[in-house]
Amino acid sequence: MIREPLIFELSDQEKSAFLWPPLDVPAPKEKLAGLPLRQEISDFPQVSEPEVVRHFHRLSRTNYSVDEGFYPLGSCTMKFNPKVNEKVAALSGFTGGHPLLPEDLVQGNLRVLKWLEELLKEITGMAAFTLQPAAGAHGELTGMMLIRSYHERQGHPRKYVLIPDSAHGTNPSSAHLCGYQVIEIKSNEQGTVDLAALREAMTEEVAALMITNPNTLGIFESNISEIADIVHQRGGFLYMDGANMNALMGRFRPGDSGVDVIHLNLHKTFSTPHGGGGPGSGPVGVSEKLEPFLPVPVVVQEGDRFRLDYNRPYSIGRVRSFYGNFLVVVKALAYILALGSQGLKEVSGIAVLNANYIRRSLEDVYYLQYTTPTLHECVFSDKFQRKYGVNNLDIAKRLIDYGLHPPTVSFPLTVHGALMIEPTETESKRDLDMFIQAMRKIAQEAAQQPELLKEAPHTTYVRRLDETRAARQPVLRWRPEGSDRE
Amino acid sequence: MKYISLSTQDIKEMMKVIGIDHLDDLFTTIPEKIRYPGALKIPGPFSEPELVQLFQEMAEHQNSYASLTSFLGGGAYPHFIPAVVDYVSSRGEFVSPYTPYQPEVSQGTLQAIFEFQTLICQLTGLDMANASLYDGASGAAEAVLMASRITRRPKVVLAASLHPQYRQTIRTYCRNIGLILEEVAFTEEGRVDLESLDKLVDNQTAAVVVQSPNYFGVVEEWAPVFQISRQKGALGIAVIAEALSLALLQPPGEAGADIATGEGQSFGLPLAYGGPYLGFMACRQEFIRQFPGRIAGETIDVEGRRGYVLTLSTREQHIRREKATSNICTNQAWCALRATIYLELLGRRGLRELALHNFYKANYLREELSKIPGLSLKFKGPVFNEFVLQLPVAPSQLEPYFREKKIIPGVKLEEDYPQLKNCLLICATEVHSKDQLDKLVEVMAAALDHRPKKGGQS
């Protein structure tokens, strides 16, 4: 494969890739006087159009993607991204509208926003939604702010937020950003919230419990109603991280079981593409009690007209500019409508079937720390392989040689050497079997040729990279040769 | 269902392997009393042709702005998007992967991020940049939090000419951690009042936040602002809501900024009713440990070949949990990719030329409008691609006439700035032809003639 240089290394100041039309207004140079001007940007690239296109085309070929194949990254719900979603989100009526256009000219946009809110309410059983958060973690932060504002209005914001030890790192980070101290709750032997530990920790200084359901082990928190009762009895709120909602659609509605706040990830459950790390969208659903605190603006429907409401005295305020990642919302709406009620239920059914099929097919060769039944994902560990000097990362890297994307590694933290597998519902049996066979083969290789794993991957554009060097001697940007910095 | 790839036979075989008779058997851990009994009330399933028709109806008919010429800016700017940007960025290899946790199969994304970081450093004149943040507003909020961590001081001074939505977002982010926000007024020129700033900033100030071009389109003198912040040991945060201005104006790093953050929507992202956009951030090297967000770094593989990885992750939530520098996980990577393609395609000359076109178009329009009797320029300070026009009446009074002439003349400022009565923020970029600019001038003059003679105030 051709090794692709940085664009800066291809640059030649004589070349250019883009021509603007002649300026059609007067351009007297003296107009620029009085402005703090910059020098021409030194070392900015200057290449031809074919070079730009080939540069990115070649780079793209070094990426693995969902369009290419199986991507069982646990907790990320890497399902197929339907192509009609891209088509409708690219309609010029959606892409062209300035966010400050008068409301009467963007009724279609507002209808999209309101419609998705309504559908998410139906799917989750929550009383109201905001679509503004740009990603899951942004939704968490927004949700915690709502809770804090409510408590403040009761006279005391409270001090702590309870979070199980299996939680995603964004949970404690979001709670902390919102001014709370985090108390970690240990999981029990089944891998779920320990009710006794929760009862003990749940005081009137606790603002909320943040749980993920199904949790990061893929286990449904069966005691969700009791958990809600314990939290509510002390005046706290139950926050549910809805990252794993793909397991539940049409089968369980958090709002019906005492969940007060939930965030969803449109870029997980609702099929919008991840784009190599965003844009996502992290809508937040709330119970009636918290609705007055939602960020502004709120989309309001009056008859068949829609408007944006800023007159919300209890609102936490704005969490970003404008109204959210609108085009992501368009795609998620298209997805839900393409599936309908029955389709959504089928999604959760098949997602859970696929995960259990993998679990069953690998549990004799990979260690399963928790034997509790799981839903949409399963978490193995490298315990059986460690005796050969092979760890979970080696297994992951070896999978790449088989043309597959690795599972999530070393998360959740409650499983040492974790391999967290989430196949999603869109995969064929052939792809699932390919993965299972590769994993079984790798288990054999671990015993017989461990170096094959330790040196993996062998077949990629670059092989295993020195991450320690990257962190210790950070090179975070290109500089021209001979420059005196770095 | 078309997004599912299992046949009935497949399902049967798989259930047999698992040892169940029915899919519902997989959900027994959900107690029966809380299992959802009915069918969700969701319309559909819609076929693809039906979906396209439905969305076309909403996009093209229920949205009815297409035939109007808009001069709206104010944090979102209409710019031409070259074909290459759409074409290249829509490749499935860029659209459909996750965050590049496995660098060996993510070099395309990682190298693009590395190039993006370099471009942002070059544009801002600072040492390091991250892989992106959500948008300009949340980027400004992250910068304020970062400054408070670095200085451990409780006060932040915001320019009143900072985008109102950015100020509101900063307020939301800061409220719960006890940061005190103060605002510094603007002068008659529309620039930060340096005298007041000097008085406001003291040894309790964590940061001074100034936007340029500011919300009124006026280009600030950053250097004296950041001189004041530096003297008092506060950090200087430069906010750029119109990233294109960086191609023409003094880079904030050169003017003494410690952190620069802003909105990169102008670099190849459609207006899209406000998102997804692109937050960017850059800072001086010394603040590396307090920097929020993902960062790509260069390294080598076991064969000594150059490659890229996500690095310095000990700052981040998945390692540091509640002690992380930010809770951000998913960012706006694909938007950053588009910006990278856009900037590399335009290149040094193309970008500079575009910035000049924006400058001259807006300044032409500004001058022509200011010749109309009864209209005046609210601020005398130099502008980049938008400016504030003072009308003799409330802009809302002229709205029906403008609408009839198929023009959206600008953003009304009075809601956010009660003191800016009858003021309109007007933006012109390369997408506006001279004819369109002239038409706005003509319609504006006519509108003033047509206005109801009584009722000068709304």
Side-chain angles (χ1 to χ4, degrees), chain A residues 10 34 36 69 94 122 230 259 268 289 355 431 445:
Chain A
L10 293 169
F94 290 139
E122 173 66 14
I230 294 169
V259 168
K268 295 181 180 178
K289 237 179 174 177
D431 281 345
E445 289 172 352

Side-chain angles (χ1 to χ4, degrees), chain B residues 340-414:
Chain B
T340 308
I341 299 166
Y342 178 89
L343 292 170
E344 294 178 359
L345 187 82
L346 261 58
R348 181 175 58 85
R349 287 197 297 274
L351 196 68
R352 176 102 176 174
E353 190 182 347
L354 176 63
L356 281 168
H357 283 203
N358 274 251
F359 172 81
Y360 284 120
K361 296 244 185 189
N363 278 279
Y364 169 78
L365 180 61
R366 182 179 185 236
E367 204 172 296
E368 294 301 308
L369 282 170
S370 69
K371 289 176 188 163
I372 299 174
L375 295 181
S376 61
L377 298 174
K378 182 69 192 172
F379 301 115
K380 301 291 178 282
V383 301
F384 177 61
N385 68 359
E386 55 190 333
F387 57 90
V388 178
L389 191 69
Q390 168 101 55
L391 276 56
V393 293
S396 53
Q397 285 191 31
L398 308 181
E399 224 165 84
Y401 185 76
F402 274 113
R403 191 65 75 85
E404 198 183 297
K405 300 292 175 192
K406 299 211 170 291
I407 285 179
I408 307 287
V411 181
K412 289 172 274 185
L413 290 181
E414 198 175 327

